[in-house]
Amino acid sequence: MSGVLNTVDQRTNLVGENRLELLLFSLNSRQIFAINVFKVKEVIKLPPLTKMPGSHYHITGVASLRGESVPVIDLRSAIGFPPSTLESPEENLIITEYNRSTQGFLVGQVRNIINTAWTEIQPPPTSAGRANYLTAITQIKEGDEKKIVEIIDVEKVLAEIIDYDVSISEGVLDEELASEMVGRTILIVDDSSTARNQVKGTLSQLGLNIIECRDGLEALRLLKGWCDEGKAVADELLMMITDAEMPEMDGYKLTHEVRTDDRMSALHVVLNTSLSGSFNEAMVKKVGCDRFISKFQPDLLVEVAQERLRGVLSK
């Protein structure tokens, strides 16, 4: 399977075209799950694990990979299934990079990689409830049968294991800007409710109004609706903070649509994503984002908002 991932760097052009590739796997059940290939560093057979006394109950242990200690999360138990037994010969470890950290997810059989369009990715049904661990679903065809693929909300899984503090460090807030910040509006676009709440919890401390959209298409429709009403989007919003991967329309495509519409092209756009690396810096320049932030950094979010406000006030 590691050979399948060797060409990941050659696939970066997919993102700018509103496409993605998903790594499919099972959790020792008939259901098919997936995560974005761009977050996967490698897939390996389960190595020996070292137990960590006092660690979170979803952390099975630590794997030593080329001198790096990587926490291993039992994805089965993390999303509500019975814990893994560590005895199945089909158990694999998916090594990922999220939010500037490396972790391993213990899964069952790793199936294959599929290439699809974000337009084929749909939000989970509302009947699934708020407690589900999915950001989206899609379908694949196997023979004459169509099968559901469930895309894991990894950010929610991690947030329940790692304590992401939304407090702002002393000295970050610019007291001279405090009164000017109150009442201004920011649009947050992210398919993960956990990620939206993290950003909202941080920026609402500044007195900012927050509007939320669950994907790029929903955000674009909102912005175009404002334009059709004669509103100046750049005046309505201090900025838009968008994720990269989202159902129906990703953040890169959303930014491209904003930049090519003269009615909203002046909108300040910040890409806030758990996808990291120089690849994102290149994509930011390609589609015209104003800033790139790797999740989750409360102080940096505040600094970016204040920097943007200073630019607005200086005009």
Side-chain angles (χ1 to χ4, degrees):
M1 177 55 65
S2 60
V4 177
L5 300 172
N6 287 339
T7 57
V8 166
D9 288 341
Q10 300 172 18
R11 299 180 173 128
T12 55
N13 62 319
L14 293 173
V15 181
E17 302 300 324
N18 206 40
R19 298 190 65 83
L20 78 160
E21 289 188 321
L22 295 171
L23 176 64
L24 307 187
F25 57 90
S26 67
L27 295 173
N28 298 327
S29 68
R30 297 184 63 182
Q31 293 168 264
I32 303 173
F33 297 93
I35 60 174
N36 194 322
V37 165
F38 284 115
K39 294 181 178 178
V40 177
K41 298 179 71 174
E42 61 179 324
V43 177
I44 60 175
K45 297 302 294 183
L46 182 63
L49 301 179
T50 302
K51 292 290 184 180
M52 293 179 60
S55 63
H56 193 278
Y57 53 90
H58 291 322
I59 296 181
T60 304
V62 172
S64 180
L65 303 177
R66 292 176 292 279
E68 180 181 7
S69 295
V70 177
V72 174
I73 298 167
D74 184 349
L75 194 54
R76 279 177 55 84
S77 65
I79 67 171
F81 289 136
S84 299
T85 62
L86 301 181
E87 297 176 355
S88 171
E90 290 190 338
E91 285 180 331
N92 291 276
L93 200 58
I94 301 177
I95 307 300
T96 66
E97 185 175 353
Y98 282 84
N99 300 350
R100 299 167 295 117
S101 66
T102 300
Q103 54 283 130
F105 288 104
L106 177 61
V107 302
Q109 178 188 12
V110 176
R111 297 166 58 98
N112 60 302
I113 289 173
I114 62 167
N115 180 325
T116 188
W118 278 111
T119 52
E120 299 299 319
I121 310 295
Q122 303 298 321
T126 54
S127 58
R130 293 184 177 182
N132 75 82
Y133 288 87
L134 306 178
T135 57
I137 60 173
T138 189
Q139 292 187 352
I140 59 172
K141 191 172 183 180
E142 292 189 345
D144 296 329
E145 184 181 1
K146 283 190 174 182
K147 293 187 176 181
I148 297 292
V149 175
E150 301 170 86
I151 302 173
I152 299 286
D153 186 349
V154 177
E155 291 175 89
K156 180 174 180 177
V157 172
L158 292 176
E160 294 182 355
I161 297 173
I162 302 169
D163 182 20
Y164 289 110
D165 189 0
V166 300
S167 61
I168 303 166
S169 301
E170 186 176 353
V172 172
L173 289 174
D174 185 339
E175 298 299 335
E176 294 182 1
L177 289 177
S179 61
E180 292 286 351
M181 193 73 73
V182 175
R184 295 181 185 268
T185 303
I186 287 180
L187 173 62
I188 300 173
V189 190
D190 202 305
D191 59 330
S192 170
S193 60
T194 298
R196 293 198 307 272
N197 287 336
Q198 288 171 342
V199 177
K200 183 178 180 178
T202 300
L203 296 181
S204 60
Q205 297 175 70
L206 308 183
L208 289 161
N209 296 324
I210 305 297
I211 299 175
E212 300 178 54
C213 287
R214 294 172 297 176
D215 60 65
L217 186 58
E218 181 183 350
L220 185 62
R221 286 171 175 163
L222 172 67
L223 296 174
K224 285 191 172 183
W226 287 355
C227 291
D228 292 342
E229 294 171 7
K231 296 180 180 179
V233 169
D235 294 336
E236 296 289 327
L237 297 173
L238 181 63
M239 60 183 175
M240 176 174 72
I241 301 176
T242 179
D243 188 21
E245 329 165 71
M246 293 176 289
E248 299 195 270
M249 180 178 291
D250 65 31
Y252 303 105
K253 180 68 172 177
L254 170 61
T255 304
H256 173 75
E257 293 293 326
V258 167
R259 291 290 180 252
T260 54
D261 189 327
D262 291 339
R263 301 174 299 171
M264 59 176 118
S265 59
L267 177 62
H268 195 82
V269 180
V270 176
L271 186 75
N272 183 46
T273 175
S274 55
L275 292 168
S276 56
S278 57
F279 153 72
N280 263 301
E281 299 287 357
M283 286 304 303
V284 164
K285 293 178 181 178
K286 178 179 177 180
V287 301
C289 291
D290 295 286
R291 258 320 265 280
F292 162 65
I293 305 176
S294 183
K295 295 177 181 175
F296 169 63
Q297 302 181 73
D299 288 351
L300 185 53
L301 276 170
V302 171
E303 290 172 0
V304 167
Q306 292 181 153
E307 179 183 281
R308 173 56 183 159
L309 182 56
R310 291 189 190 100
V312 170
L313 296 176
S314 65
K315 293 181 180 178

